[in-house]
Amino acid sequence: MIEVLSTLFALLGAFFITVASIGILRMPDLFLRMSATSKASTLGSALTLIAAMIFFQDFSVTTRCLATILFLILTTPVAAHMIGRAGYLSGVRLWERTITDELAGHYNAETRRLEGAAPTPSPAEPQPEKTGETDRFSPPSGRPE
Amino acid sequence: MIDPIPHPAGLAGLSYLLILGMLGVAVVLTFIRLYRGPKLADRVIALDLLAIESIGIIVNYAMALNRQMLIDVAIVLALLAFLGTVAFARYLEKRVEP
């Protein structure tokens, strides 16, 4: 019974990790690839570690596996967020059939800060000069339609 | 070198072959993306996924060999994968675009 349960969890974990690898190969875009891999691989590794917890039934193994699951759940979204931000800032192209890019025009490419939807120029702060930016990073108010 | 301890036969004994085969296929697919990846960010997420697949392989191998010590390797691999990914992301943000 224990063996069957552990095998079931291990099979599910291997299935989800394989789904993540198919996703990283077949998705058309960096961001879609990230959204495929980060969730499915976290679920797959957590299921595999749960299978190990059921299989060994030992206190030290259980605590180690729980710590690893907690660590993976905490760190995988952080790493995916950092890579997505770095990729967006370094100019990775979106998929051509992407419906919306909500960050378009809101990132200041020089200060790397997120600006509001309608940036109002305040006279007290010096505005960064625009030099040859790509179209995605230029603020929408200054762009002629 | 760890001498393999024969697992008790039955459903569980054979299923590890299937599980390790699935994970091997996953590693091959991820290596294809690591080779192709048009940008550096694609290669970084492929490396991150490779680390997670290695965690899966190591844990399943620990169950197949009935060795509890190999779980520690999975913990260290998870730590190193996160640190490497964060370092790569910092480098991607700071570097000058060619």
Side-chain angles (χ1 to χ4, degrees):
Chain A
M1 185 62 204
I2 293 298
E3 300 263 327
V4 172
L5 205 59
S6 162
T7 305
L8 206 62
F9 272 101
L11 269 173
L12 266 178
F15 170 72
F16 276 111
I17 291 177
T18 313
V19 164
S21 76
I22 292 173
I24 202 178
L25 190 62
R26 293 291 298 161
M27 283 289 183
D29 190 3
L30 169 70
F31 306 102
L32 291 174
R33 275 173 214 147
M34 256 176 19
S35 99
T37 62
S38 59
K39 290 178 285 251
S41 67
T42 308
L43 182 58
S45 54
L47 284 173
T48 308
L49 286 162
I50 287 174
M53 280 163 49
I54 296 173
F55 181 82
F56 285 116
Q57 290 194 341
D58 188 52
F59 181 70
S60 64
V61 173
T62 305
T63 47
R64 279 174 205 158
C65 289
L66 275 180
T68 314
I69 290 172
L70 200 65
F71 183 78
L72 279 174
I73 287 175
L74 282 179
T75 57
T76 309
V78 177
H81 173 82
M82 286 193 74
I83 289 182
R85 179 187 149 88
Y88 191 87
L89 283 176
S90 67
V92 172
R93 289 193 178 277
L94 299 180
W95 189 28
E96 66 264 17
R97 276 195 270 165
T98 305
I99 294 174
T100 172
D101 180 10
E102 290 186 334
L103 281 179
H106 293 286
Y107 252 123
N108 193 339
E110 306 202 346
T111 61
R112 306 209 157 163
R113 290 288 180 82
L114 193 62
E115 290 175 344
T120 57
S122 62
E125 299 178 1
Q127 294 294 316
E129 295 182 3
K130 291 191 290 182
T131 57
E133 294 166 341
T134 60
D135 199 25
R136 250 169 55 190
F137 293 132
S138 62
S141 62
R143 191 197 315 166
E145 289 296 326
Chain B
M1 186 66 195
I2 300 176
D3 47 333
I5 298 171
H7 193 271
L11 175 67
L14 281 181
S15 67
Y16 287 119
L17 286 179
L18 176 62
I19 289 169
L20 290 176
M22 283 167 75
L23 290 174
V25 170
V27 167
V28 168
L29 295 181
T30 314
F31 261 109
I32 292 174
R33 175 53 68 194
L34 184 68
Y35 176 70
R36 269 200 208 161
K39 290 276 187 173
L40 183 56
D42 298 302
R43 299 197 164 104
V44 175
I45 58 170
L47 276 179
D48 196 24
L49 187 60
L50 268 181
I52 294 211
E53 284 159 1
S54 326
I55 291 173
I57 289 175
I58 286 170
V59 172
N60 279 304
Y61 200 60
M63 285 191 283
L65 291 187
N66 205 357
R67 299 274 176 165
Q68 301 181 2
M69 287 176 291
L70 293 180
I71 303 287
D72 294 340
V73 184
I75 299 178
V76 176
L77 206 56
L79 271 163
L80 282 180
F82 173 62
L83 286 182
T85 309
V86 169
F88 261 120
R90 298 287 292 180
Y91 165 69
L92 261 178
E93 269 198 49
K94 301 289 182 201
R95 78 164 179 170
V96 181
E97 193 65 20

PDB file of all heavy atoms in Angstrom, chain A residues 58-90:
ATOM      1  N   ASP A  58      10.792   8.238   7.568  1.00  0.00           N
ATOM      2  CA  ASP A  58      11.796   8.462   8.583  1.00  0.00           C
ATOM      3  C   ASP A  58      11.732   9.934   8.961  1.00  0.00           C
ATOM      4  O   ASP A  58      11.445  10.782   8.108  1.00  0.00           O
ATOM      5  CB  ASP A  58      13.185   8.094   8.028  1.00  0.00           C
ATOM      6  CG  ASP A  58      14.234   8.133   9.110  1.00  0.00           C
ATOM      7  OD1 ASP A  58      14.007   7.492  10.147  1.00  0.00           O
ATOM      8  OD2 ASP A  58      15.245   8.801   8.923  1.00  0.00           O
ATOM      9  N   PHE A  59      11.998  10.243  10.222  1.00  0.00           N
ATOM     10  CA  PHE A  59      11.784  11.619  10.666  1.00  0.00           C
ATOM     11  C   PHE A  59      12.737  12.591   9.981  1.00  0.00           C
ATOM     12  O   PHE A  59      12.343  13.650   9.509  1.00  0.00           O
ATOM     13  CB  PHE A  59      11.956  11.694  12.180  1.00  0.00           C
ATOM     14  CG  PHE A  59      11.730  13.063  12.717  1.00  0.00           C
ATOM     15  CD1 PHE A  59      10.454  13.606  12.734  1.00  0.00           C
ATOM     16  CD2 PHE A  59      12.785  13.822  13.188  1.00  0.00           C
ATOM     17  CE1 PHE A  59      10.231  14.866  13.222  1.00  0.00           C
ATOM     18  CE2 PHE A  59      12.560  15.097  13.675  1.00  0.00           C
ATOM     19  CZ  PHE A  59      11.292  15.618  13.691  1.00  0.00           C
ATOM     20  N   SER A  60      14.012  12.191   9.875  1.00  0.00           N
ATOM     21  CA  SER A  60      14.994  13.112   9.302  1.00  0.00           C
ATOM     22  C   SER A  60      14.723  13.333   7.812  1.00  0.00           C
ATOM     23  O   SER A  60      14.807  14.460   7.311  1.00  0.00           O
ATOM     24  CB  SER A  60      16.397  12.566   9.513  1.00  0.00           C
ATOM     25  OG  SER A  60      16.535  11.355   8.811  1.00  0.00           O
ATOM     26  N   VAL A  61      14.349  12.267   7.126  1.00  0.00           N
ATOM     27  CA  VAL A  61      14.047  12.409   5.696  1.00  0.00           C
ATOM     28  C   VAL A  61      12.827  13.302   5.494  1.00  0.00           C
ATOM     29  O   VAL A  61      12.782  14.151   4.606  1.00  0.00           O
ATOM     30  CB  VAL A  61      13.845  11.023   5.067  1.00  0.00           C
ATOM     31  CG1 VAL A  61      13.368  11.148   3.639  1.00  0.00           C
ATOM     32  CG2 VAL A  61      15.125  10.258   5.099  1.00  0.00           C
ATOM     33  N   THR A  62      11.829  13.133   6.367  1.00  0.00           N
ATOM     34  CA  THR A  62      10.612  13.932   6.233  1.00  0.00           C
ATOM     35  C   THR A  62      10.907  15.415   6.444  1.00  0.00           C
ATOM     36  O   THR A  62      10.436  16.265   5.685  1.00  0.00           O
ATOM     37  CB  THR A  62       9.570  13.456   7.238  1.00  0.00           C
ATOM     38  OG1 THR A  62       9.359  12.069   7.045  1.00  0.00           O
ATOM     39  CG2 THR A  62       8.276  14.184   7.049  1.00  0.00           C
ATOM     40  N   THR A  63      11.707  15.725   7.462  1.00  0.00           N
ATOM     41  CA  THR A  63      12.011  17.144   7.684  1.00  0.00           C
ATOM     42  C   THR A  63      12.836  17.719   6.549  1.00  0.00           C
ATOM     43  O   THR A  63      12.598  18.845   6.112  1.00  0.00           O
ATOM     44  CB  THR A  63      12.780  17.327   8.992  1.00  0.00           C
ATOM     45  OG1 THR A  63      13.829  16.377   9.035  1.00  0.00           O
ATOM     46  CG2 THR A  63      11.871  17.151  10.168  1.00  0.00           C
ATOM     47  N   ARG A  64      13.772  16.943   6.033  1.00  0.00           N
ATOM     48  CA  ARG A  64      14.577  17.447   4.911  1.00  0.00           C
ATOM     49  C   ARG A  64      13.708  17.693   3.683  1.00  0.00           C
ATOM     50  O   ARG A  64      13.851  18.704   2.993  1.00  0.00           O
ATOM     51  CB  ARG A  64      15.667  16.450   4.561  1.00  0.00           C
ATOM     52  CG  ARG A  64      16.857  16.535   5.464  1.00  0.00           C
ATOM     53  CD  ARG A  64      17.815  15.433   5.135  1.00  0.00           C
ATOM     54  NE  ARG A  64      18.639  15.124   6.289  1.00  0.00           N
ATOM     55  CZ  ARG A  64      19.246  13.969   6.445  1.00  0.00           C
ATOM     56  NH1 ARG A  64      19.101  13.036   5.531  1.00  0.00           N
ATOM     57  NH2 ARG A  64      19.984  13.751   7.500  1.00  0.00           N
ATOM     58  N   CYS A  65      12.818  16.752   3.404  1.00  0.00           N
ATOM     59  CA  CYS A  65      11.968  16.920   2.224  1.00  0.00           C
ATOM     60  C   CYS A  65      11.020  18.095   2.396  1.00  0.00           C
ATOM     61  O   CYS A  65      10.803  18.869   1.458  1.00  0.00           O
ATOM     62  CB  CYS A  65      11.187  15.642   1.956  1.00  0.00           C
ATOM     63  SG  CYS A  65      12.209  14.307   1.364  1.00  0.00           S
ATOM     64  N   LEU A  66      10.487  18.269   3.617  1.00  0.00           N
ATOM     65  CA  LEU A  66       9.596  19.410   3.840  1.00  0.00           C
ATOM     66  C   LEU A  66      10.355  20.725   3.679  1.00  0.00           C
ATOM     67  O   LEU A  66       9.843  21.685   3.085  1.00  0.00           O
ATOM     68  CB  LEU A  66       8.978  19.329   5.238  1.00  0.00           C
ATOM     69  CG  LEU A  66       7.729  18.474   5.346  1.00  0.00           C
ATOM     70  CD1 LEU A  66       7.225  18.467   6.764  1.00  0.00           C
ATOM     71  CD2 LEU A  66       6.657  19.023   4.434  1.00  0.00           C
ATOM     72  N   ALA A  67      11.598  20.767   4.196  1.00  0.00           N
ATOM     73  CA  ALA A  67      12.400  21.986   4.056  1.00  0.00           C
ATOM     74  C   ALA A  67      12.687  22.273   2.593  1.00  0.00           C
ATOM     75  O   ALA A  67      12.628  23.432   2.151  1.00  0.00           O
ATOM     76  CB  ALA A  67      13.706  21.840   4.833  1.00  0.00           C
ATOM     77  N   THR A  68      12.985  21.219   1.825  1.00  0.00           N
ATOM     78  CA  THR A  68      13.262  21.429   0.403  1.00  0.00           C
ATOM     79  C   THR A  68      12.031  21.913  -0.341  1.00  0.00           C
ATOM     80  O   THR A  68      12.113  22.797  -1.192  1.00  0.00           O
ATOM     81  CB  THR A  68      13.779  20.124  -0.225  1.00  0.00           C
ATOM     82  OG1 THR A  68      14.763  19.573   0.619  1.00  0.00           O
ATOM     83  CG2 THR A  68      14.366  20.381  -1.570  1.00  0.00           C
ATOM     84  N   ILE A  69      10.850  21.336  -0.011  1.00  0.00           N
ATOM     85  CA  ILE A  69       9.621  21.772  -0.681  1.00  0.00           C
ATOM     86  C   ILE A  69       9.342  23.238  -0.362  1.00  0.00           C
ATOM     87  O   ILE A  69       9.022  24.043  -1.246  1.00  0.00           O
ATOM     88  CB  ILE A  69       8.444  20.877  -0.247  1.00  0.00           C
ATOM     89  CG1 ILE A  69       8.585  19.479  -0.823  1.00  0.00           C
ATOM     90  CG2 ILE A  69       7.128  21.462  -0.706  1.00  0.00           C
ATOM     91  CD1 ILE A  69       7.571  18.516  -0.282  1.00  0.00           C
ATOM     92  N   LEU A  70       9.507  23.612   0.908  1.00  0.00           N
ATOM     93  CA  LEU A  70       9.266  25.003   1.316  1.00  0.00           C
ATOM     94  C   LEU A  70      10.237  25.938   0.603  1.00  0.00           C
ATOM     95  O   LEU A  70       9.851  27.006   0.105  1.00  0.00           O
ATOM     96  CB  LEU A  70       9.424  25.113   2.822  1.00  0.00           C
ATOM     97  CG  LEU A  70       8.773  26.328   3.474  1.00  0.00           C
ATOM     98  CD1 LEU A  70       7.277  26.227   3.313  1.00  0.00           C
ATOM     99  CD2 LEU A  70       9.152  26.412   4.929  1.00  0.00           C
ATOM    100  N   PHE A  71      11.507  25.513   0.532  1.00  0.00           N
ATOM    101  CA  PHE A  71      12.510  26.344  -0.120  1.00  0.00           C
ATOM    102  C   PHE A  71      12.194  26.507  -1.605  1.00  0.00           C
ATOM    103  O   PHE A  71      12.285  27.618  -2.151  1.00  0.00           O
ATOM    104  CB  PHE A  71      13.878  25.689   0.064  1.00  0.00           C
ATOM    105  CG  PHE A  71      14.999  26.483  -0.497  1.00  0.00           C
ATOM    106  CD1 PHE A  71      15.485  27.571   0.191  1.00  0.00           C
ATOM    107  CD2 PHE A  71      15.571  26.146  -1.703  1.00  0.00           C
ATOM    108  CE1 PHE A  71      16.511  28.311  -0.324  1.00  0.00           C
ATOM    109  CE2 PHE A  71      16.594  26.884  -2.223  1.00  0.00           C
ATOM    110  CZ  PHE A  71      17.072  27.971  -1.529  1.00  0.00           C
ATOM    111  N   LEU A  72      11.790  25.414  -2.257  1.00  0.00           N
ATOM    112  CA  LEU A  72      11.478  25.513  -3.688  1.00  0.00           C
ATOM    113  C   LEU A  72      10.269  26.413  -3.920  1.00  0.00           C
ATOM    114  O   LEU A  72      10.270  27.238  -4.845  1.00  0.00           O
ATOM    115  CB  LEU A  72      11.207  24.130  -4.265  1.00  0.00           C
ATOM    116  CG  LEU A  72      12.435  23.310  -4.613  1.00  0.00           C
ATOM    117  CD1 LEU A  72      12.016  21.929  -5.025  1.00  0.00           C
ATOM    118  CD2 LEU A  72      13.181  23.963  -5.736  1.00  0.00           C
ATOM    119  N   ILE A  73       9.240  26.274  -3.063  1.00  0.00           N
ATOM    120  CA  ILE A  73       8.041  27.101  -3.244  1.00  0.00           C
ATOM    121  C   ILE A  73       8.374  28.569  -3.008  1.00  0.00           C
ATOM    122  O   ILE A  73       7.842  29.454  -3.672  1.00  0.00           O
ATOM    123  CB  ILE A  73       6.923  26.598  -2.304  1.00  0.00           C
ATOM    124  CG1 ILE A  73       6.375  25.281  -2.820  1.00  0.00           C
ATOM    125  CG2 ILE A  73       5.794  27.585  -2.199  1.00  0.00           C
ATOM    126  CD1 ILE A  73       5.366  24.653  -1.912  1.00  0.00           C
ATOM    127  N   LEU A  74       9.303  28.832  -2.075  1.00  0.00           N
ATOM    128  CA  LEU A  74       9.663  30.229  -1.827  1.00  0.00           C
ATOM    129  C   LEU A  74      10.545  30.815  -2.915  1.00  0.00           C
ATOM    130  O   LEU A  74      10.419  31.985  -3.259  1.00  0.00           O
ATOM    131  CB  LEU A  74      10.393  30.352  -0.482  1.00  0.00           C
ATOM    132  CG  LEU A  74       9.523  30.317   0.753  1.00  0.00           C
ATOM    133  CD1 LEU A  74      10.385  30.418   1.980  1.00  0.00           C
ATOM    134  CD2 LEU A  74       8.561  31.468   0.725  1.00  0.00           C
ATOM    135  N   THR A  75      11.471  30.019  -3.460  1.00  0.00           N
ATOM    136  CA  THR A  75      12.490  30.617  -4.312  1.00  0.00           C
ATOM    137  C   THR A  75      12.186  30.569  -5.801  1.00  0.00           C
ATOM    138  O   THR A  75      12.679  31.406  -6.536  1.00  0.00           O
ATOM    139  CB  THR A  75      13.842  29.930  -4.097  1.00  0.00           C
ATOM    140  OG1 THR A  75      13.673  28.554  -4.356  1.00  0.00           O
ATOM    141  CG2 THR A  75      14.347  30.171  -2.735  1.00  0.00           C
ATOM    142  N   THR A  76      11.398  29.604  -6.255  1.00  0.00           N
ATOM    143  CA  THR A  76      11.171  29.515  -7.699  1.00  0.00           C
ATOM    144  C   THR A  76      10.453  30.741  -8.271  1.00  0.00           C
ATOM    145  O   THR A  76      10.853  31.242  -9.320  1.00  0.00           O
ATOM    146  CB  THR A  76      10.407  28.231  -8.031  1.00  0.00           C
ATOM    147  OG1 THR A  76      11.058  27.140  -7.417  1.00  0.00           O
ATOM    148  CG2 THR A  76      10.372  28.001  -9.506  1.00  0.00           C
ATOM    149  N   PRO A  77       9.396  31.284  -7.618  1.00  0.00           N
ATOM    150  CA  PRO A  77       8.789  32.502  -8.170  1.00  0.00           C
ATOM    151  C   PRO A  77       9.729  33.692  -8.147  1.00  0.00           C
ATOM    152  O   PRO A  77       9.689  34.527  -9.059  1.00  0.00           O
ATOM    153  CB  PRO A  77       7.578  32.740  -7.262  1.00  0.00           C
ATOM    154  CG  PRO A  77       7.309  31.476  -6.628  1.00  0.00           C
ATOM    155  CD  PRO A  77       8.618  30.821  -6.456  1.00  0.00           C
ATOM    156  N   VAL A  78      10.595  33.769  -7.121  1.00  0.00           N
ATOM    157  CA  VAL A  78      11.538  34.893  -7.050  1.00  0.00           C
ATOM    158  C   VAL A  78      12.512  34.835  -8.222  1.00  0.00           C
ATOM    159  O   VAL A  78      12.762  35.835  -8.914  1.00  0.00           O
ATOM    160  CB  VAL A  78      12.281  34.877  -5.703  1.00  0.00           C
ATOM    161  CG1 VAL A  78      13.300  35.977  -5.658  1.00  0.00           C
ATOM    162  CG2 VAL A  78      11.309  35.021  -4.576  1.00  0.00           C
ATOM    163  N   ALA A  79      13.046  33.645  -8.486  1.00  0.00           N
ATOM    164  CA  ALA A  79      13.992  33.503  -9.587  1.00  0.00           C
ATOM    165  C   ALA A  79      13.313  33.778 -10.929  1.00  0.00           C
ATOM    166  O   ALA A  79      13.878  34.465 -11.794  1.00  0.00           O
ATOM    167  CB  ALA A  79      14.580  32.092  -9.581  1.00  0.00           C
ATOM    168  N   ALA A  80      12.079  33.286 -11.092  1.00  0.00           N
ATOM    169  CA  ALA A  80      11.379  33.525 -12.358  1.00  0.00           C
ATOM    170  C   ALA A  80      11.088  35.008 -12.534  1.00  0.00           C
ATOM    171  O   ALA A  80      11.207  35.545 -13.642  1.00  0.00           O
ATOM    172  CB  ALA A  80      10.078  32.715 -12.389  1.00  0.00           C
ATOM    173  N   HIS A  81      10.735  35.685 -11.440  1.00  0.00           N
ATOM    174  CA  HIS A  81      10.478  37.119 -11.539  1.00  0.00           C
ATOM    175  C   HIS A  81      11.737  37.881 -11.929  1.00  0.00           C
ATOM    176  O   HIS A  81      11.706  38.779 -12.774  1.00  0.00           O
ATOM    177  CB  HIS A  81       9.959  37.631 -10.205  1.00  0.00           C
ATOM    178  CG  HIS A  81       9.816  39.107 -10.141  1.00  0.00           C
ATOM    179  ND1 HIS A  81       8.725  39.750 -10.644  1.00  0.00           N
ATOM    180  CD2 HIS A  81      10.633  40.071  -9.675  1.00  0.00           C
ATOM    181  CE1 HIS A  81       8.873  41.042 -10.478  1.00  0.00           C
ATOM    182  NE2 HIS A  81      10.026  41.267  -9.887  1.00  0.00           N
ATOM    183  N   MET A  82      12.876  37.487 -11.338  1.00  0.00           N
ATOM    184  CA  MET A  82      14.115  38.221 -11.647  1.00  0.00           C
ATOM    185  C   MET A  82      14.519  38.001 -13.095  1.00  0.00           C
ATOM    186  O   MET A  82      14.939  38.933 -13.783  1.00  0.00           O
ATOM    187  CB  MET A  82      15.231  37.784 -10.711  1.00  0.00           C
ATOM    188  CG  MET A  82      15.058  38.340  -9.328  1.00  0.00           C
ATOM    189  SD  MET A  82      16.515  38.143  -8.342  1.00  0.00           S
ATOM    190  CE  MET A  82      17.564  39.382  -9.040  1.00  0.00           C
ATOM    191  N   ILE A  83      14.380  36.758 -13.585  1.00  0.00           N
ATOM    192  CA  ILE A  83      14.771  36.509 -14.974  1.00  0.00           C
ATOM    193  C   ILE A  83      13.804  37.186 -15.934  1.00  0.00           C
ATOM    194  O   ILE A  83      14.214  37.731 -16.968  1.00  0.00           O
ATOM    195  CB  ILE A  83      14.849  35.003 -15.240  1.00  0.00           C
ATOM    196  CG1 ILE A  83      16.036  34.457 -14.516  1.00  0.00           C
ATOM    197  CG2 ILE A  83      15.015  34.720 -16.706  1.00  0.00           C
ATOM    198  CD1 ILE A  83      16.217  33.026 -14.748  1.00  0.00           C
ATOM    199  N   GLY A  84      12.513  37.198 -15.583  1.00  0.00           N
ATOM    200  CA  GLY A  84      11.563  37.875 -16.456  1.00  0.00           C
ATOM    201  C   GLY A  84      11.820  39.364 -16.539  1.00  0.00           C
ATOM    202  O   GLY A  84      11.774  39.958 -17.618  1.00  0.00           O
ATOM    203  N   ARG A  85      12.122  39.967 -15.387  1.00  0.00           N
ATOM    204  CA  ARG A  85      12.429  41.402 -15.377  1.00  0.00           C
ATOM    205  C   ARG A  85      13.702  41.695 -16.180  1.00  0.00           C
ATOM    206  O   ARG A  85      13.748  42.619 -16.995  1.00  0.00           O
ATOM    207  CB  ARG A  85      12.595  41.846 -13.930  1.00  0.00           C
ATOM    208  CG  ARG A  85      12.946  43.283 -13.752  1.00  0.00           C
ATOM    209  CD  ARG A  85      13.238  43.522 -12.276  1.00  0.00           C
ATOM    210  NE  ARG A  85      14.217  44.573 -12.118  1.00  0.00           N
ATOM    211  CZ  ARG A  85      13.884  45.855 -12.043  1.00  0.00           C
ATOM    212  NH1 ARG A  85      12.646  46.214 -12.104  1.00  0.00           N
ATOM    213  NH2 ARG A  85      14.816  46.772 -11.909  1.00  0.00           N
ATOM    214  N   ALA A  86      14.727  40.868 -15.969  1.00  0.00           N
ATOM    215  CA  ALA A  86      15.978  41.089 -16.696  1.00  0.00           C
ATOM    216  C   ALA A  86      15.776  40.885 -18.190  1.00  0.00           C
ATOM    217  O   ALA A  86      16.304  41.655 -19.010  1.00  0.00           O
ATOM    218  CB  ALA A  86      17.055  40.150 -16.171  1.00  0.00           C
ATOM    219  N   GLY A  87      14.987  39.881 -18.555  1.00  0.00           N
ATOM    220  CA  GLY A  87      14.746  39.651 -19.972  1.00  0.00           C
ATOM    221  C   GLY A  87      13.951  40.767 -20.605  1.00  0.00           C
ATOM    222  O   GLY A  87      14.245  41.198 -21.720  1.00  0.00           O
ATOM    223  N   TYR A  88      12.947  41.277 -19.872  1.00  0.00           N
ATOM    224  CA  TYR A  88      12.154  42.378 -20.416  1.00  0.00           C
ATOM    225  C   TYR A  88      13.011  43.622 -20.578  1.00  0.00           C
ATOM    226  O   TYR A  88      12.925  44.334 -21.586  1.00  0.00           O
ATOM    227  CB  TYR A  88      10.973  42.667 -19.499  1.00  0.00           C
ATOM    228  CG  TYR A  88       9.960  43.596 -20.102  1.00  0.00           C
ATOM    229  CD1 TYR A  88       8.949  43.093 -20.897  1.00  0.00           C
ATOM    230  CD2 TYR A  88      10.035  44.958 -19.897  1.00  0.00           C
ATOM    231  CE1 TYR A  88       8.035  43.936 -21.473  1.00  0.00           C
ATOM    232  CE2 TYR A  88       9.127  45.811 -20.470  1.00  0.00           C
ATOM    233  CZ  TYR A  88       8.122  45.292 -21.249  1.00  0.00           C
ATOM    234  OH  TYR A  88       7.222  46.122 -21.837  1.00  0.00           O
ATOM    235  N   LEU A  89      13.866  43.880 -19.592  1.00  0.00           N
ATOM    236  CA  LEU A  89      14.688  45.089 -19.670  1.00  0.00           C
ATOM    237  C   LEU A  89      15.759  44.969 -20.728  1.00  0.00           C
ATOM    238  O   LEU A  89      16.171  45.966 -21.319  1.00  0.00           O
ATOM    239  CB  LEU A  89      15.329  45.374 -18.315  1.00  0.00           C
ATOM    240  CG  LEU A  89      14.380  45.975 -17.298  1.00  0.00           C
ATOM    241  CD1 LEU A  89      15.072  46.124 -15.980  1.00  0.00           C
ATOM    242  CD2 LEU A  89      13.907  47.318 -17.785  1.00  0.00           C
ATOM    243  N   SER A  90      16.235  43.737 -20.987  1.00  0.00           N
ATOM    244  CA  SER A  90      17.269  43.595 -22.001  1.00  0.00           C
ATOM    245  C   SER A  90      16.672  43.464 -23.395  1.00  0.00           C
ATOM    246  O   SER A  90      17.396  43.194 -24.343  1.00  0.00           O
ATOM    247  CB  SER A  90      18.155  42.392 -21.692  1.00  0.00           C
ATOM    248  OG  SER A  90      17.409  41.215 -21.832  1.00  0.00           O
TER     249      SER A  90
END
